[in-house]
């Protein structure tokens, strides 16, 4: 049992990768839209590349969204407005007219007959006007139905009467009557008129919804066995609609029944193959990343994030799939790792998304080109202008690519969907979010970017100010080493910003006991003179351990702490080792050897060489070109013979280039000039 647990512990890193792999495959397949995949790829305006296609099933030809929208618009424009009739208002109006006439008769001399005639004429006019009714307002539709006593009565446009029209109708009808003092009767009736036809919004909308529900979403049927398109035939408008209808029917039918499990199996195998390619790439070409579970998790997290965002967009509105800023992926990965890994992961992610997006060839082409442009143009993201320039170029690539594909599909530049240009611009604006995203990833995964390196390189930072105050000689030494290491890194294509920051902090441990290091001794008093060599060596060696502790207390990133840990590797504190040998015959080398580890990258190897050369150069009394050349060769050769660069991915050619730069820089430091003959 104990051996089994021991094996599990030893292989826990590999077990975690297996777990991460399985979870990622499961999540990606879960994110995918629930539907089958049509086995033919086709595009409007391009020849049909397969054998003659016959209808495998009976299916309906579906109308396009534009056709359905046009029918809906037509129905809305010709909708019928419904008004309800209020009969009680007619009675109220008649009562008001009768009362008004009584008051009018009282102020004028009318015979009984004249009063009866006036009242009859007034009532007849009201009956005529309210035979249909007076509308609340002039209807906006030419189709009007009045609901009266549960009966729907159509009204012609010529019969529309609002309040003002009704008053004019009163004047027109009374103009033909023989009654005396007609104006008084007209005034009484007009004053008494009321609206009795009210717009019924609920009934109107209900009727409209019924009309809209009757719209047919299909136009014709295709019988099984009918030839849909022949090999080599160009996919034109009509065939394109039929093929799209078949595709939708096929994919919806494919997902039903037992087919569901086979589709899931197919998706799982394809996604698993893609992610296996990623693991193989990391194992073969980026083994240091493969061994780091935190970095592997970070890469998979970014892939899952992009797949989730894209599949959600496809499910909700696939027309705006280009609004997902997929180029954030290579931007982020290049910033934390390198361009090759960023592009490789981007291409694999695009291949995964090609399973679910519409027009997969077009999508894969555009996104791959955009990813390449991102890798080629995005550099030094800590400079804000560079990110804006890169995003502008990415957006331009999308727009140019869309123009090209539209021209191929349509054969002209008409019917361009201008809204897609807004989508591409939105994509660019969202890509700018890479900067705050990088900052969040740094905090979440403990990684470090160029932006953070730039902040750490500020000599006014708290820790470097403290180093300058407590150990000014060490601070000056660190600055010199930083300049040497940065120049060497630029020469061989290493991360110059990283190695400079590592050099600035590599000796912070000397702050604990600064006077025990020669660069900080301002008098002739050397505290090592009063100590045995073994104890002096321990103090010197401990500056590495103390530096790591100080760095952790100040929350320096692990990549910077690596420089503190490795800048002496496993070399000997040679001076005190030899001194101890003079005092005793048998000396344990381990008491005088730095704990390591040895450098494991180009950057840490460069720092080891630069640090040793700069520190030892202080002992040069009369430096000349020849002396400096032999001096640098001797120090680096000693490090190589001590196997300090075995774990660093630095070549012999690159080491020679580093030595060349170190010699040139030391020559400049000591202001050597060519000796001219007298």
């Amino acid at each position: 049992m104990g051996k089994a647990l021991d094996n599990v512990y030893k292989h826990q890193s590999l077990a975690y990768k297996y777990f991460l792999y399985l979870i990622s495959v499961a999540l990606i397949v879960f994110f995918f839209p629930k539907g089958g995949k049509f086995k033919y790829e086709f595009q409007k305006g391009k020849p049909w590349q397969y054998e003659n296609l016959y209808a495998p099933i009976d299916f309906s030809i579906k109308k396009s969204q534009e056709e359905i929208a046009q029918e809906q618009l037509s129905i809305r424009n010709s909708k019928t407005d419904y008004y309800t009739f209020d009969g009680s208002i007619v009675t109220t109006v008649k009562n008001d007219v009768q009362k008004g006439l009584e008051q009018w008769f009282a102020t004028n001399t009318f015979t009984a007959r004249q009063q009866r005639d006036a009242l009859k004429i007034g009532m007849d006019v009201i009956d005529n006007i309210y035979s249909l009714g007076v509308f609340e307002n002039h209807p906006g539709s030419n189709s009007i139905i009045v609901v009266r006593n549960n009966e729907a009565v159509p009204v012609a446009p010529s019969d529309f009467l609002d309040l003002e029209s009704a008053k004019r109708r009163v004047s027109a009808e009374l103009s033909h009557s023989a009654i005396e003092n007609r104006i008084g009767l007209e005034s009484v009736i007009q004053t008494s008129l009321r609206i009795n036809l009210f717009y019924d919004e609920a009934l109107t909308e209900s009727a409209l919804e019924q009309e809209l529900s009757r719209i047919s979403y299909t136009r014709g049927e295709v019988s099984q066995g009918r030839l849909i398109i022949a090999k080599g035939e160009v996919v034109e408008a009509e065939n394109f609609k039929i093929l799209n209808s078949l595709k939708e029917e096929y994919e919806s039918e494919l997902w039903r029944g037992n087919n569901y499990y086979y589709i899931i199996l197919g998706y799982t195998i394809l996604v698993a193959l893609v992610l296996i390619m990623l693991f193989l790439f990391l194992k073969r070409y980026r083994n240091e990343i493969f061994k780091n579970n935190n970095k592997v998790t970070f890469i998979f997290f970014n892939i899952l994030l992009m797949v989730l965002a894209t599949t959600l967009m496809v499910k909700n509105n696939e027309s705006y799939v280009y609004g997902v800023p997929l180029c954030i992926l290579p931007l982020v990965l290049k910033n934390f790792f390198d361009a090759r890994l960023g592009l490789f992961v981007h291409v694999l992610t695009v291949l995964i998304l090609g399973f679910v997006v519409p027009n997969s060839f077009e999508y894969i082409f555009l996104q791959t080109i955009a990813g390449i442009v991102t890798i080629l143009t995005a550099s030094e993201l800590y400079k804000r202008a560079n990110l804006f320039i890169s995003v502008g170029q990415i957006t331009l690539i999308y727009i140019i690519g869309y123009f090209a594909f539209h021209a191929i599909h349509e054969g002209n530049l008409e019917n361009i969907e201008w809204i897609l240009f807004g989508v591409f611009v939105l994509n660019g604006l969202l890509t700018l979010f890479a900067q705050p995203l990088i900052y969040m990833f740094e905090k979440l995964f403990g990684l470090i970017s160029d932006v953070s390196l730039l902040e750490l390189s500020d000599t006014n930072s708290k820790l470097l100010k403290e180093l300058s105050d407590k150990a000014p000689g060490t601070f000056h030494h660190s600055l010199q080493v930083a300049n040497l290491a940065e120049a060497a890194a630029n020469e061989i294509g290493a991360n110059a910003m990283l190695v400079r920051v590592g050099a600035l902090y590599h000796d912070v441990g000397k702050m604990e006991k600064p006077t025990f290091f020669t660069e900080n001794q301002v008098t002739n008093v050397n505290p090592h003179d009063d100590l045995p060599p073994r104890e002096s060596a321990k103090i010197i060696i401990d500056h590495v351990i103390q530096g790591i502790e100080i760095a952790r207390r100040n929350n320096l990133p692990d990549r910077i702490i690596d420089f503190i840990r490795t800048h002496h590797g496993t070399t000997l504190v040679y001076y005190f080792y030899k001194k101890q040998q003079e005092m005793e015959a048998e000396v344990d080398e381990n008491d005088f050897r730095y704990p390591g580890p040895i450098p494991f990258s180009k950057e840490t190897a460069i720092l080891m060489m630069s640090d040793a050369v700069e520190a030892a150069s202080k002992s040069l009394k009369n430096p000349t070109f020849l002396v400096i050349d032999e001096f640098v060769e001797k120090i680096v050769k000693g490090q190589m013979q001590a196997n300090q660069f075995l774990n660093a991915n630095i070549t012999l050619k690159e080491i020679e280039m580093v030595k060349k730069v170190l010699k040139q820089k030391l020559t400049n430091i000591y202001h050597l000039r060519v000796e001219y003959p007298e």
Side-chain angles (χ1 to χ4, degrees):
M1 183 66 178
K3 290 183 179 180
L5 290 175
D6 189 44
N7 287 331
V8 170
Y9 179 77
K10 288 180 180 178
H11 296 92
Q12 62 177 336
S13 178
L14 191 59
Y16 174 78
K17 291 182 178 68
Y18 283 131
F19 173 76
L20 180 65
Y21 173 76
L22 294 174
I23 287 294
S24 299
V25 172
L27 285 174
I28 290 173
V29 174
F30 176 76
F31 291 154
F32 279 178
K34 300 300 182 287
K37 191 73 175 174
F38 195 47
K39 58 184 177 181
Y40 301 110
E41 284 284 341
F42 58 91
Q43 292 180 341
K44 187 178 178 181
K46 299 189 74 174
W48 180 256
Q49 300 176 351
Y50 310 96
E51 296 298 326
N52 294 355
L53 177 63
Y54 297 89
I57 55 174
D58 294 333
F59 65 94
S60 302
I61 304 174
K62 296 185 178 180
K63 296 177 182 177
S64 66
Q65 292 296 325
E66 291 77 12
E67 290 174 323
I68 294 171
Q70 188 63 39
E71 288 188 33
Q72 290 175 338
L73 180 62
S74 176
I75 290 174
R76 291 183 185 279
N77 290 337
S78 60
K79 71 182 178 70
T80 299
D81 287 338
Y82 283 80
Y83 286 78
T84 54
F85 183 89
D86 189 345
S88 64
I89 290 179
V90 179
T91 304
T92 302
V93 170
K94 287 184 175 182
N95 291 336
D96 290 345
V97 169
Q98 189 169 359
K99 291 177 182 178
L101 288 178
E102 289 175 356
Q103 294 176 359
W104 182 51
F105 294 151
T107 58
N108 294 276
T109 56
F110 287 99
T111 64
R113 181 183 178 84
Q114 288 175 325
Q115 291 180 10
R116 286 195 303 271
D117 291 343
L119 182 59
K120 182 178 182 305
I121 291 171
M123 294 303 156
D124 290 342
V125 169
I126 290 171
D127 287 338
N128 289 337
I129 289 174
Y130 284 100
S131 59
L132 286 176
V134 178
F135 288 92
E136 181 179 8
N137 49 44
H138 199 284
S141 173
N142 290 329
S143 178
I144 300 295
I145 289 181
V146 173
V147 179
R148 184 173 184 176
N149 299 327
N150 295 325
E151 182 181 355
V153 180
V155 178
S158 59
D159 294 329
F160 291 164
L161 279 180
D162 57 14
L163 197 55
E164 292 302 319
S165 300
K167 290 179 180 180
R168 289 194 295 271
R169 175 74 70 86
V170 170
S171 300
E173 293 200 8
L174 290 179
S175 64
H176 302 296
S177 67
I179 189 171
E180 296 182 8
N181 203 352
R182 176 174 51 83
I183 295 176
L185 177 59
E186 181 180 320
S187 176
V188 170
I189 297 175
Q190 288 178 341
T191 304
S192 303
L193 290 178
R194 299 285 185 276
I195 295 166
N196 77 320
L197 289 178
F198 298 95
Y199 181 66
D200 193 331
E201 183 177 3
L203 187 57
T204 301
E205 289 300 319
S206 175
L208 177 61
E209 290 300 323
Q210 287 184 5
E211 288 294 323
L212 291 174
S213 66
R214 295 193 185 101
I215 292 177
S216 173
Y217 288 84
T218 62
R219 52 177 185 82
E221 299 283 333
V222 175
S223 302
Q224 183 177 358
R226 171 186 160 185
L227 176 64
I228 296 176
I229 191 168
K231 183 177 181 180
E233 184 180 348
V234 176
V235 180
E236 296 177 344
E238 188 61 28
N239 285 339
F240 185 69
K241 293 176 182 177
I242 295 175
L243 287 170
N244 270 328
S245 299
L246 175 60
K247 178 181 178 181
E248 290 183 26
E249 186 72 20
Y250 183 84
E251 290 179 349
S252 63
E253 288 291 332
L254 195 61
W255 194 255
R256 297 175 184 171
N258 293 331
N259 294 337
Y260 172 88
Y261 302 104
Y262 288 105
I263 293 171
I264 290 293
L265 177 63
Y267 276 144
T268 303
I269 292 173
L270 292 176
V271 173
L273 284 175
V274 172
L275 295 186
I276 283 176
M277 295 303 105
L278 176 56
F279 269 120
L280 291 177
F281 176 85
L282 293 175
K283 177 68 176 174
R284 186 180 180 103
Y285 298 106
R286 299 293 183 273
N287 197 40
E288 71 281 0
I289 296 176
F290 180 79
K291 292 177 181 178
N292 190 319
N293 283 343
N294 183 54
K295 293 179 179 179
V296 174
T297 303
F298 172 71
I299 294 171
F300 274 76
F301 175 80
N302 278 276
I303 293 174
L304 291 172
L305 190 64
M306 289 301 154
V307 171
L308 172 62
T310 304
T311 50
L312 284 177
M313 183 62 74
V314 170
K315 290 177 182 179
N316 289 283
N317 194 334
E318 63 182 27
S319 302
Y320 300 130
V321 69
Y322 287 103
V324 178
L326 203 63
C327 288
I328 282 182
L329 182 61
L331 267 177
V332 169
L333 294 181
K334 181 184 178 182
N335 188 76
F336 286 114
F337 304 114
D338 61 86
R340 187 179 178 188
L341 176 60
L343 181 59
F344 189 82
V345 173
H346 176 75
V347 171
L348 291 183
T349 306
V350 170
L351 289 177
I352 291 173
L353 294 174
F355 300 147
V356 296
V357 297
N359 299 323
S360 56
F361 171 77
E362 177 182 328
Y363 180 85
I364 292 173
F365 181 88
L366 279 179
Q367 295 292 11
T368 302
I369 293 297
I372 293 172
V373 170
T374 302
I375 292 296
L376 294 177
T377 60
S379 61
E380 299 179 327
L381 290 183
Y382 56 86
K383 297 178 180 178
R384 289 171 294 182
N386 288 357
L387 181 59
F388 280 96
I389 293 171
S390 179
V391 166
Q393 292 171 331
I394 294 168
T395 305
L396 183 62
I397 286 297
Y398 279 127
I399 293 173
I400 293 173
Y402 169 72
F403 263 119
F405 277 108
H406 183 83
I408 292 171
H409 295 164
E410 302 293 336
N412 55 56
L413 295 180
E414 299 175 2
N415 302 321
I416 291 177
E417 296 183 36
W418 296 103
I419 193 171
L420 282 178
F421 291 98
V423 173
F424 296 141
V425 172
L426 176 63
N427 182 298
L429 293 175
L430 291 175
T431 305
L432 292 174
F433 190 66
Q435 279 284 24
L437 201 60
I438 287 170
Y439 176 79
M440 288 189 288
F441 284 151
E442 284 182 330
K443 302 305 177 185
L444 188 62
F445 291 94
L447 301 172
I448 186 169
S449 68
D450 287 348
V451 179
S452 294
L453 290 175
L454 186 65
E455 294 173 353
L456 290 170
S457 67
D458 183 7
T459 54
N460 288 317
S461 65
K462 179 184 175 182
L463 187 55
L464 291 181
K465 288 283 285 184
E466 187 179 355
L467 177 63
S468 175
D469 293 337
K470 292 183 177 180
T474 299
F475 178 71
H476 180 72
H477 159 73
S478 298
L479 287 175
Q480 293 284 62
V481 173
N483 292 332
L484 292 174
E486 183 179 19
N490 281 324
E491 184 70 19
I492 67 171
N495 190 333
M497 178 71 74
L498 177 63
V499 75
R500 178 176 181 82
V501 175
L504 288 174
Y505 291 92
H506 79 283
D507 270 344
V508 291
K510 292 181 179 181
M511 288 192 297
E512 295 294 322
K513 297 179 179 178
T515 57
F516 284 84
F517 300 91
T518 56
E519 67 266 22
N520 298 311
Q521 295 169 359
V522 294
T523 66
N524 292 328
V525 178
N526 189 340
H528 289 290
D529 294 340
D530 301 324
L531 296 174
R534 184 174 278 103
E535 189 172 338
S536 293
K538 184 178 185 309
I539 292 173
I540 299 298
I541 291 171
D542 281 349
H543 90 273
V544 173
I545 307 300
Q546 291 165 348
I548 294 171
E549 293 173 353
I550 291 171
R552 293 200 184 281
R553 285 200 304 268
N554 287 270
N555 297 317
L556 288 185
D558 287 340
R559 290 184 73 183
I560 303 304
I561 296 176
D562 288 340
F563 286 92
I564 301 174
R565 186 183 291 114
T566 62
H567 74 279
H568 284 296
T570 56
T571 57
L572 278 172
V573 184
Y574 194 74
Y575 175 81
F576 292 108
Y577 174 68
K578 283 297 182 182
K579 202 171 180 181
Q580 187 70 33
Q581 278 186 328
E582 293 173 0
M583 299 172 62
E584 56 184 82
E586 296 294 331
V587 180
D588 187 359
E589 279 191 4
N590 292 328
D591 293 339
F592 296 86
R593 190 175 295 280
Y594 284 98
I598 61 177
F600 49 81
S601 66
K602 289 181 181 180
E603 290 77 15
T604 50
I606 290 170
L607 177 63
M608 172 178 274
M609 289 184 272
S610 303
D611 179 46
V613 166
E614 202 285 330
S617 69
K618 298 294 192 297
S619 64
L620 295 176
K621 291 184 170 46
N622 296 306
T624 64
F625 290 109
L626 183 60
V627 169
I628 290 175
D629 184 81
E630 292 177 351
F631 166 76
V632 172
E633 290 288 344
K634 178 183 176 182
I635 289 177
V636 176
K637 182 180 179 181
Q639 291 173 337
M640 293 177 67
Q641 287 177 342
N643 298 322
Q644 296 300 301
F645 304 138
L646 287 182
N647 290 344
N649 58 338
I650 188 168
T651 64
L652 290 174
K653 180 180 179 181
E654 289 171 336
I655 291 175
E656 290 298 320
M657 295 168 68
V658 170
K659 289 193 294 185
K660 178 182 176 182
V661 171
L662 294 177
K663 294 171 186 176
Q664 290 174 345
K665 287 293 179 180
L666 285 179
T667 300
N668 293 334
I669 289 171
Y670 289 105
H671 306 291
L672 297 182
R673 293 188 177 90
V674 176
E675 296 182 6
Y676 293 97
E678 295 183 359

